[in-house]
Amino acid sequence: MVVQYKCPGCGADMHYDAKTRKLKCGSCGRLMEIDAMPRSSADAGTEAEDSEDGEISPFAAEEIEDEAEFGRIEREEGSTAFDGEDGCQYVCNNCGAVVVTTADTTATSCSFCGAPVVLGDRLSGKKAPVWIIPFKVNKEQAKAAFRKWCGGGKLTPRDFMTADRIKNITGMYVPFWLYDMEGTGEADCTATRVRTYTQGDYICTETKYYHVYRRLHMAYCKVPVDASEKMNDGMMDKLEPFGYGELTRFNMPYLAGYLAEQYNYDDRELLPRVTERVKRYANEYLASTITGYSTVAYNRKNIQLDPVNARYTLLPVWMVCYDYRDSEHIFAMNGQTGKIVGKPPLSKQKIAMWFAGISAGVFAVMRLVTMFLA
Amino acid sequence: MADHRNHRGISSKRLSALLVLVLAFVCVLPGIMVRADEVVPAAKGVYVYDDAGLLTGTEESSLSQYLEACGQEAGCGIYVVTTSDPGTRTGDRYLEDFYDRGFDTGQIDTDAVLLYVDMKERYVNVQAYGKAQDKIPDTTCDAIIDAIFDDLHYGDYYDAFRGFADKAEYYMNYVPIYLRVWVQLLAALVIGGICVGIMAANSGGTMTVNANTYLDQRYSGIRARRDDYIRTSVKRRKKPQQSSSSGGGGSHRSSGGHSHSSAGRKF
Ligand SMILES: [Zn+2]
Ligand SMILES: [Zn+2]
């Protein structure tokens, strides 16, 4: 089921505007509160069709009869590409064109007329996100920030910095699971305090042994794990942190004008990943409570963490494709904070320059110190 | 009258005898003093003063050449002084006076490493002056004696003296490993590589979340803790003997006022 948001004034398509945090009409600039929009997608569609203001109202797909019929591509046995619910076609309410989607798409735009399209049925039931952080950085800001970031790279090639070669920039809501984990950490250690002092002609090393025990209760809230198959986990991890103050109840209009995907891995499948990560944090936390000792040796350590909540959340990411010397570089920007990650091309010349410069500088200082000592 | 004359005769005889005695004494005295007290480097360019006669003639000339060569490499004078009759001078005093006199007469290199062997007391002493004092502090003087001690003890004097020259040259030209050019160059390259590596690694953005980012302080904390003292163990270690002139500050000073480093012992 396709959801499109129509301007009540002019009937044109509306999209989510990061600046005003409202739905904005692309043609007349009208703004609509998100909360004022109907939650049900069916309403949104009919509302648009009902507009009677003398202007040409777009055709609905049903209004125009087919001129010819075409056979369908045979589905091969065992093909999984368009299985199940993904088999259904989405048709643009504006122009009647088939909306090109992948199995994971939940929001996109009509490739024919450009109208924002939200696929409502893929965002309901089990696949309904709980929260969303709406985009805060808009496309122009993202482009400008990215250009600035490229210029700041000490090792990026000069022509990469100056050229404006952003191939495409896509605002995308990436599916994450936000886990709440809670549990106990327990440690039993033998710790020492070492003190050295002189006594007459002797240097004494005094070692005091302690039996140390700690039991902690710990809670980790909203630990994000990227649930999209496509996204590079390392890259997504580096995009953190997101400001959770702006977590909002999910509502479909936020997706209008952006790409969005549904999760590929559910909360159970990603549990090992989040557990491993939180255990690492828990270990550090446990160790940080044992202070004031010279050495700490663990006799027993036990960390038990259980998931309490997992919430399907959409987080905003700008994906930037950049063409440089016939190869494509992909960068991601936190759509809320503007933090950029990704591997920029490295200039061999600049690397050599920095390497030579730093080495020569260090060597010169060493020689100077040597001469001073001699 | 005659008595008077006689008296005068005797008295002039005694007088001349006294004169001869005084003359003889005046003539002989400096000789005695030089032998016993005045220790003088004969001339610039003479490096071996083998008063004790520990070396054969050929050994002495070959050692002399060797000391000169080593000294040129080391950039200072390297001297070997032996005696079998130190007179009243004991310990470091003999060599200190030797250097003082040489310094005053200009017959010795002011930068000098000296080995002294007293056969009467069987006492060996190494001292370093001027530039050499910084390169060869007390501990190094001691190390040089260590290296030649066996040869001295068993009477292989020629070998001992050559060994002394070798060691003196080695320490004079010794550069600590971290001050050597190639080591520093290598270290600089490694540091440069690490820096550029870190820059390259960070060019893709860094991880800015840590263990505390997602910790919820309201629900986290210590539920129970114990810090029980068990026992104490104490290990005693003897303080290493600190060298008295580690900074080359000159805790040794000759009567002529020349600061130097020194080490000596019986062999
Ligand atoms: Zn409008
Ligand atoms: Zn369309």
Side-chain angles (χ1 to χ4, degrees):
Chain A
M1 157 226 311
V2 172
V3 183
Q4 285 168 291
Y5 295 95
K6 298 291 175 191
C7 172
C10 66
D13 297 297
M14 303 187 87
H15 61 268
Y16 178 75
D17 181 52
K19 219 179 239 167
T20 58
R21 305 183 179 205
K22 287 172 182 163
L23 272 186
K24 188 179 182 183
C25 170
S27 74
C28 73
R30 187 171 176 148
L31 296 169
M32 295 275 293
E33 290 287 345
I34 302 286
D35 295 335
M37 299 307 292
R39 286 209 177 233
S40 148
S41 47
D43 296 352
T46 48
E47 206 174 70
E49 280 162 21
D50 286 349
S51 62
E52 290 171 342
D53 48 9
E55 279 183 44
I56 299 162
S57 62
F59 294 115
E62 310 88 81
E63 284 175 59
I64 296 161
E65 282 184 1
D66 287 343
E67 291 171 31
E69 285 215 35
F70 298 94
R72 305 288 295 270
I73 299 169
E74 261 191 51
R75 289 193 65 195
E76 290 168 17
E77 276 303 312
S79 153
T80 55
F82 298 96
D83 260 356
E85 55 174 298
D86 307 320
C88 70
Q89 270 191 345
Y90 297 94
V91 177
C92 174
N93 287 338
N94 277 10
C95 63
V98 171
V99 178
V100 183
T101 65
T102 68
D104 300 322
T105 309
T106 56
T108 180
S109 52
C110 170
S111 53
F112 194 71
C113 71
V117 172
V118 180
L119 310 180
D121 57 330
R122 290 185 178 177
L123 291 160
S124 55
K126 251 191 86 180
K127 299 265 179 159
V130 179
W131 284 325
I132 186 167
I133 293 179
F135 270 93
K136 213 175 159 187
V137 178
N138 69 30
K139 195 178 230 168
E140 288 318 306
Q141 288 170 321
K143 272 187 183 171
F146 177 71
R147 244 178 254 127
K148 199 178 156 214
W149 181 74
C150 286
K154 290 185 183 70
L155 300 181
T156 37
R158 200 168 296 279
D159 51 343
F160 177 78
M161 282 152 47
T162 49
D164 185 16
R165 263 189 269 233
I166 297 178
K167 194 174 160 201
N168 64 61
I169 175 161
T170 317
M172 185 170 187
Y173 283 104
V174 178
F176 278 79
W177 288 99
L178 301 192
Y179 289 89
D180 291 348
M181 309 275 292
E182 196 174 25
T184 330
E186 202 190 13
D188 185 297
C189 342
T190 307
T192 64
R193 271 181 207 152
V194 180
R195 191 167 71 96
T196 336
Y197 57 91
T198 52
Q199 197 175 59
D201 274 349
Y202 289 91
I203 296 170
C204 303
T205 310
E206 178 199 85
T207 311
K208 285 191 163 159
Y209 290 85
Y210 293 85
H211 188 195
V212 176
Y213 176 81
R214 293 284 185 275
R215 186 160 66 237
L216 307 182
H217 186 258
M218 37 200 170
Y220 290 89
C221 283
K222 300 189 187 110
V223 184
V225 177
D226 136 51
S228 167
E229 201 174 15
K230 247 180 257 173
M231 295 295 160
N232 177 312
D233 288 348
M235 206 159 161
M236 291 298 118
D237 287 350
K238 280 186 184 167
L239 280 178
E240 295 172 32
F242 286 90
Y244 287 148
E246 279 160 336
L247 267 182
T248 317
R249 286 257 135 224
F250 174 74
N251 201 351
M252 277 196 276
Y254 287 117
L255 304 188
Y258 294 94
L259 273 184
E261 302 229 316
Q262 65 184 4
Y263 63 79
N264 301 109
Y265 305 106
D266 66 20
D267 53 339
R268 263 175 214 294
E269 288 172 299
L270 289 178
L271 193 58
R273 208 181 145 210
V274 72
T275 307
E276 186 227 305
R277 180 170 171 189
V278 173
K279 270 207 171 145
R280 216 168 57 228
Y281 293 159
N283 265 314
E284 273 183 55
Y285 183 36
L286 195 55
S288 77
T289 63
I290 305 168
T291 52
Y293 295 104
S294 315
T295 65
V296 175
Y298 286 88
N299 305 322
R300 181 165 55 85
K301 184 153 76 171
N302 182 26
I303 290 171
Q304 183 60 46
L305 282 161
D306 297 309
V308 181
N309 296 304
R311 300 167 203 94
Y312 179 24
T313 304
L314 298 181
L315 298 177
V317 177
W318 283 107
M319 299 297 298
V320 179
C321 279
Y322 204 92
D323 254 349
Y324 180 73
R325 294 203 181 154
D326 304 328
S327 68
E328 207 171 68
H329 297 266
I330 293 174
F331 302 89
M333 178 196 276
N334 183 320
Q336 184 193 21
T337 63
K339 185 184 180 187
I340 298 171
V341 301
K343 279 263 157 253
L346 298 176
S347 153
K348 276 180 193 145
Q349 217 181 338
K350 279 198 172 184
I351 287 177
M353 233 176 58
W354 275 95
F355 174 68
I358 293 171
S359 299
V362 169
F363 185 64
V365 168
M366 283 176 170
R367 289 317 298 169
L368 273 175
V369 170
T370 306
M371 274 193 269
F372 185 74
L373 284 177
Chain B
M1 201 57 180
D3 194 11
H4 179 72
R5 203 176 281 169
N6 196 22
H7 178 75
R8 265 179 71 183
I10 292 164
S11 100
S12 76
K13 238 185 191 172
R14 284 173 95 183
L15 200 77
S16 56
L18 195 76
L19 207 78
V20 166
L21 208 75
V22 167
L23 258 171
F25 191 72
V26 165
C27 288
V28 169
L29 189 68
I32 295 170
M33 281 185 77
V34 168
R35 278 296 319 151
D37 291 306
E38 205 82 21
V39 194
V40 181
K44 195 136 186 146
V46 177
Y47 297 99
V48 182
Y49 296 90
D50 184 24
D51 286 7
L54 302 176
L55 303 171
T56 65
T58 47
E59 275 176 348
E60 187 170 331
S61 64
S62 113
L63 179 68
S64 189
Q65 277 171 14
Y66 193 68
L67 291 184
E68 189 174 356
C70 287
Q72 258 161 19
E73 287 295 313
C76 70
I78 298 175
Y79 295 88
V80 170
V81 182
T82 74
T83 186
S84 48
D85 179 20
T88 56
R89 296 159 212 272
T90 52
D92 294 1
R93 186 66 195 278
Y94 190 95
L95 210 47
E96 284 174 357
D97 286 356
F98 180 85
Y99 182 84
D100 283 350
R101 297 286 170 259
F103 189 90
D104 292 343
T105 56
Q107 297 302 327
I108 197 166
D109 288 353
T110 52
D111 302 319
V113 188
L114 304 99
L115 173 73
Y116 166 64
V117 175
D118 169 4
M119 290 310 291
K120 194 179 166 204
E121 297 288 330
R122 291 190 69 80
Y123 179 77
V124 59
N125 180 210
V126 171
Q127 294 181 12
Y129 289 83
K131 218 170 62 187
Q133 189 188 346
D134 300 329
K135 290 276 191 178
I136 304 179
D138 288 2
T139 47
T140 311
C141 290
D142 215 44
I144 292 174
I145 295 177
D146 280 345
I148 62 170
F149 190 83
D150 282 353
D151 282 340
L152 276 180
H153 186 75
Y154 294 111
D156 300 328
Y157 299 110
Y158 180 69
D159 289 345
F161 298 159
R162 277 185 73 106
F164 159 72
D166 290 339
K167 283 287 167 188
E169 185 197 329
Y170 169 79
Y171 285 117
M172 284 303 287
N173 290 327
Y174 179 77
V175 179
I177 185 119
Y178 56 89
L179 293 180
R180 285 178 203 171
V181 174
W182 69 269
V183 173
Q184 290 186 343
L185 188 66
L186 203 74
L189 290 176
V190 169
I191 290 171
I194 289 170
C195 287
V196 171
I198 290 171
M199 281 165 71
N202 285 347
S203 68
T206 47
M207 199 85 172
T208 47
V209 294
N210 57 44
N212 290 322
T213 308
Y214 299 108
L215 184 72
D216 193 325
Q217 302 282 359
R218 290 170 304 168
Y219 306 116
S220 305
I222 299 172
R223 275 169 58 195
R225 75 172 98 194
R226 292 289 281 278
D227 292 88
D228 295 346
Y229 168 75
I230 314 169
R231 66 192 167 87
T232 301
S233 82
V234 178
K235 281 200 184 90
R236 279 195 174 74
R237 186 161 56 86
K238 202 161 171 67
K239 228 189 270 179
Q241 223 60 53
Q242 280 185 336
S243 61
S244 45
S245 72
S246 51
S251 58
H252 306 281
R253 195 167 283 275
S254 69
S255 53
H258 298 290
S259 147
H260 63 93
S261 57
S262 170
R265 70 178 89 147
K266 296 246 185 194
F267 64 90

